[in-house]
């Protein structure tokens, strides 16, 4: 297995830098060899750009992949959208010689060439396959004992024929990673339903996208969860900002939204602020004092 | 539409029944597939209500790449100039900054506060941004969204 280049995308560095910080802390603590993928652009996002023009989407994606190829590293994504674009583009370019030639004609103008020598990884499947829940569990310093609504997000799993991470109806690998931190993955109705953000729907039809978000939040609330854990900054944004937008219409949920890097970071001993959770738009003081109590208790035991 | 795959559709409706957007909107995937075989549906707003969640594609008993078909229909619509204003803005951000969601002053300050320097992305490297712009011009993307 190659070393990893961390690909940031847009939303994480530019809207939720706490997730970037938490991811870097976690990679260090787990002893994973990584470096930044410098000079990368937008993946580009699958919803709008893949819809608009396949050649543009593939060409820009291939430039990002080549940045990894030049370092001879695999690319680690921490966003389902980036994973979807880079992995699908990599598959298409590896397997279709004529499309690859077409893309390389464009890349020639900036003196680079796509070779097809690296893999695209997503932090969840990477941790599950390469590190494993057993090792993660052994490293946990503060089991958080939270009741978690796990949200896989569509593009981590689907299309299943491309992702090859198992079925999309009853997936388990993300749940077991969450439970490795000492949390409980709580079943809830509509667990595999979309957050509502993708496909350019959030940007062009906010109200429609929020109806799908509300559907999810209602069912999470009914299941009595403490928080949502996802692995995609677009789902994170949709749940986090979405709850502020829904609250304006009198629909109040106050369910904290946590990227897996942030949950794992806290379980490894970093504070709520160190993993950037104080930067969320949706705050829940009851939840925050519960986390503080757990962290204080564990600190006093040590 | 030139996707012969969708001709095998037998209109069972598994796609529509699985659609999280169709629960609340006029998006009816079964009808889109049916109509797209017979006529030009480029101007239908419904095409843009799909979140590309892939439920329909996963559950199609005929194995039709339903979501991919919707993406192709969108591309045809875009070629004919049917672009929503919000999407045009996102495209312009990409053309100007290399990011669909560029950083702003608030988030530069937030990064500083939590001990992160400027992101190591295309934004920090003018030559890299220039490369992105060259590629977007080469594929004709700037012309497409004009």
């Amino acid at each position: 297995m190659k070393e990893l280049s961390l690909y940031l995308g847009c939303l994480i560095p530019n809207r939720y830098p706490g997730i970037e910080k938490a991811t870097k802390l976690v990679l260090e603590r787990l002893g994973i060899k990584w470096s930044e993928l410098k000079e990368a652009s937008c993946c580009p996002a699958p919803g709008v750009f893949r819809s608009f023009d396949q050649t543009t989407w593939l060409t820009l994606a291939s430039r990002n992949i080549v940045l990894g190829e030049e370092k001879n590293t695999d690319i680690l994504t921490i966003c389902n959208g980036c994973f979807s674009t880079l992995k699908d583009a990599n598959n298409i370019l590896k397997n279709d010689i004529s499309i690859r030639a077409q893309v390389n004609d464009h890349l020639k103008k900036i003196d680079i060439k796509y070779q097809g020598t690296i893999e695209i990884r997503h932090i969840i499947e990477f941790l599950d396959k390469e590190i494993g829940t057993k090792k993660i569990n052994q490293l946990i310093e503060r089991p958080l004992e939270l009741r978690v609504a796990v949200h896989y997000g569509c593009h981590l799993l689907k299309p299943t024929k491309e992702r090859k991470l198992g079925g999309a109806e009853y997936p388990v690998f993300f749940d077991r990673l969450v439970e490795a931190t000492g949390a409980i993955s709580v079943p809830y109705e509509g667990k595999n339903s979309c957050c509502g953000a993708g496909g350019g729907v959030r940007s062009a039809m906010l109200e429609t996208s929020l109806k799908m978000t509300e559907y999810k939040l209602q069912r999470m609330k009914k299941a009595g969860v403490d928080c949502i854990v996802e692995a995609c900054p677009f789902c994170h944004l949709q749940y986090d900002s979405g709850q502020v937008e829904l609250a304006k219409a009198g629909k109040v949920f106050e369910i904290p939204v946590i990227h897996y890097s942030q949950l794992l970071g806290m379980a490894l001993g970093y504070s709520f602020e160190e993993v950037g959770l104080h930067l969320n738009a949706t705050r829940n003081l009851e939840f925050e004092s519960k986390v503080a109590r757990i962290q204080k208790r564990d600190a006093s035991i040590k | 539409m030139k996707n012969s795959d969708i001709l095998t559709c037998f209109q069972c409706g598994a796609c529509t029944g699985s659609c999280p957007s169709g629960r609340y909107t006029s998006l009816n995937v079964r009808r889109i597939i049916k109509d797209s075989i017979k006529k030009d549906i480029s101007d239908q707003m419904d095409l843009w209500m799909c979140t590309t969640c892939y439920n329909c594609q996963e559950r199609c008993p005929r194995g039709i790449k339903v979501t991919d078909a919707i993406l192709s229909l969108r591309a045809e619509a875009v070629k004919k100039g049917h672009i929503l204003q919000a999407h045009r803005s996102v495209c312009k951000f990409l053309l100007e900054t290399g990011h669909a969601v560029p950083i702003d002053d608030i988030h530069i300050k937030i990064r500083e506060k939590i001990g992160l320097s400027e992101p190591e992305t295309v934004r920090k490297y003018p030559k890299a941004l220039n490369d992105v712009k060259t590629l977007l011009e080469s594929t004709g993307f700037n012309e497409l969204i004009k």
Side-chain angles (χ1 to χ4, degrees):
Chain A
M1 194 179 61
K2 291 182 166 70
E3 285 186 16
L4 296 173
S5 282
L6 177 63
Y7 174 80
L8 298 175
C10 300
L11 277 173
I12 286 180
N14 301 343
R15 289 295 178 276
Y16 284 99
I19 300 175
E20 178 181 334
K21 192 182 169 196
T23 302
K24 290 173 175 175
L25 291 173
V26 162
L27 292 176
E28 287 297 329
R29 183 65 69 86
L30 295 178
I32 294 164
K33 286 188 177 163
W34 71 280
S35 56
E36 300 243 19
L37 189 69
K38 293 179 181 175
E39 305 188 19
S41 69
C42 178
C43 52
V48 170
F49 304 112
R50 189 175 188 175
S51 300
F52 271 43
D53 184 46
Q54 161 123 336
T55 306
T56 301
W57 170 74
L58 280 171
T59 303
L60 225 51
S62 68
R63 178 186 167 273
N64 288 322
I65 297 169
V66 170
L67 293 173
E69 290 185 348
E70 284 172 347
K71 292 171 69 185
N72 194 27
T73 59
D74 286 339
I75 289 177
L76 180 69
T77 58
I78 41 182
C79 163
N80 291 357
C82 301
F83 182 56
S84 163
T85 277
L86 297 180
K87 191 169 172 65
D88 281 354
N90 206 29
N91 279 346
I92 293 169
L93 293 167
K94 274 186 182 179
N95 297 319
D96 191 321
I97 298 166
S98 69
I99 291 181
R100 187 201 289 207
Q102 194 189 353
V103 163
N104 270 330
D105 272 346
H106 292 296
L107 294 182
K108 208 183 274 174
K109 293 182 183 163
I110 59 167
D111 299 320
I112 61 169
K113 190 179 177 188
Y114 172 87
Q115 311 270 7
T117 54
I118 65 162
E119 299 297 329
I120 309 300
R121 309 298 303 258
H122 183 288
I123 192 163
I124 297 302
E125 58 87 21
F126 177 86
L127 291 177
D128 184 56
K129 282 188 190 156
E130 313 298 343
I131 307 296
T133 47
K134 201 173 166 187
K135 187 180 173 193
I136 289 173
N137 190 249
Q138 284 165 353
L139 291 168
I140 296 306
E141 292 188 8
R142 291 170 179 164
L144 288 168
E145 298 154 21
L146 298 168
R147 289 172 57 81
V148 169
V150 176
H151 175 82
Y152 281 75
C154 304
H155 297 141
L156 173 60
L157 301 164
K158 298 174 279 184
T160 51
K161 281 179 188 159
E162 306 293 328
R163 297 291 174 277
K164 297 187 171 63
L165 294 173
E169 302 288 350
Y170 300 101
V172 291
F173 61 97
F174 194 176
D175 301 84
R176 65 179 171 235
L177 275 178
V178 165
E179 298 211 326
T181 69
I184 303 153
S185 171
V186 179
Y188 62 97
E189 197 194 329
K191 183 171 171 180
N192 295 329
S193 202
C194 177
C195 70
V201 177
R202 178 179 171 85
S203 63
M205 301 170 200
L206 182 61
E207 251 178 73
T208 297
S209 81
L210 288 175
K211 282 178 185 161
M212 290 177 250
T213 315
E214 189 186 348
Y215 172 95
K216 294 278 302 198
L217 291 166
Q218 279 170 345
R219 281 150 188 80
M220 290 167 174
K221 194 175 180 180
K222 199 174 159 197
V225 302
D226 293 315
C227 59
I228 302 165
V229 172
E230 32 58 43
C232 171
F234 205 25
C235 303
H236 190 107
L237 171 78
Q238 183 69 5
Y239 285 126
D240 186 39
S241 285
Q243 287 188 68
V244 175
E245 288 145 4
L246 285 166
K248 284 179 195 156
K251 294 162 180 170
V252 179
F253 292 97
E254 290 183 348
I255 308 176
V257 186
I258 305 177
H259 189 282
Y260 184 72
S261 292
Q262 296 174 306
L263 178 80
L264 181 55
M266 284 198 292
L268 290 171
Y270 296 106
S271 71
F272 191 81
E273 283 76 19
E274 279 172 313
V275 299
L277 279 169
H278 62 301
L279 301 170
N280 273 358
T282 296
R283 302 286 296 265
N284 179 324
L285 295 179
E286 204 180 312
F287 174 81
E288 289 174 27
S289 50
K290 182 174 177 177
V291 169
R293 266 201 313 277
I294 294 170
Q295 297 199 319
K296 208 171 163 186
R297 180 200 68 196
D298 290 353
S300 68
I301 291 169
K302 285 186 180 117
Chain B
M1 187 178 149
K2 290 180 204 133
N3 190 345
S4 59
D5 197 28
I6 64 173
L7 293 172
T8 64
C9 169
F10 53 39
Q11 291 286 298
C12 72
C15 48
T16 300
S18 303
C19 179
S21 178
R23 204 181 274 140
Y24 302 105
T25 66
S26 54
L27 174 59
N28 182 331
V29 181
R30 181 189 58 76
R31 200 168 57 213
I32 282 186
I33 296 298
K34 185 182 174 193
D35 290 352
S36 70
I37 295 168
K38 297 183 295 190
K39 59 183 183 190
D40 180 9
I41 58 163
S42 297
D43 60 348
Q44 283 193 16
M45 271 291 284
D46 299 14
L47 283 177
W48 300 98
M49 294 172 187
C50 164
T51 65
T52 71
C53 81
Y54 284 96
N55 274 358
C56 52
Q57 185 155 322
E58 288 296 319
R59 292 177 182 168
C60 175
R62 295 296 245 181
I64 298 170
K65 291 186 171 178
V66 185
T67 313
D68 292 346
I70 290 173
L71 294 181
S72 302
L73 290 165
R74 284 180 170 190
E76 284 181 22
V78 166
K79 266 189 207 140
K80 287 176 183 150
H82 298 289
I83 301 177
L84 298 172
Q85 195 48 48
H87 294 158
R88 205 183 285 276
S89 303
V90 175
C91 292
K92 284 191 175 148
F93 284 139
L94 183 74
L95 280 168
E96 286 161 18
T97 70
H99 284 293
V101 183
I103 201 160
D104 53 24
D105 290 343
I106 297 170
H107 289 89
I108 290 172
K109 283 194 187 115
I110 288 175
R111 289 185 67 88
E112 279 170 16
K113 268 189 197 160
I114 63 170
L116 290 175
S117 55
E118 193 177 349
E120 291 288 341
T121 60
V122 70
R123 181 182 183 273
K124 194 177 162 182
Y125 300 93
K127 190 197 164 287
L129 179 57
N130 220 28
D131 283 351
V132 169
K133 287 180 178 176
T134 303
L135 292 177
L136 289 171
E137 200 180 317
S138 177
T139 62
F141 190 69
N142 45 357
E143 288 297 319
L144 184 71
I145 63 136
K146 246 183 191 167

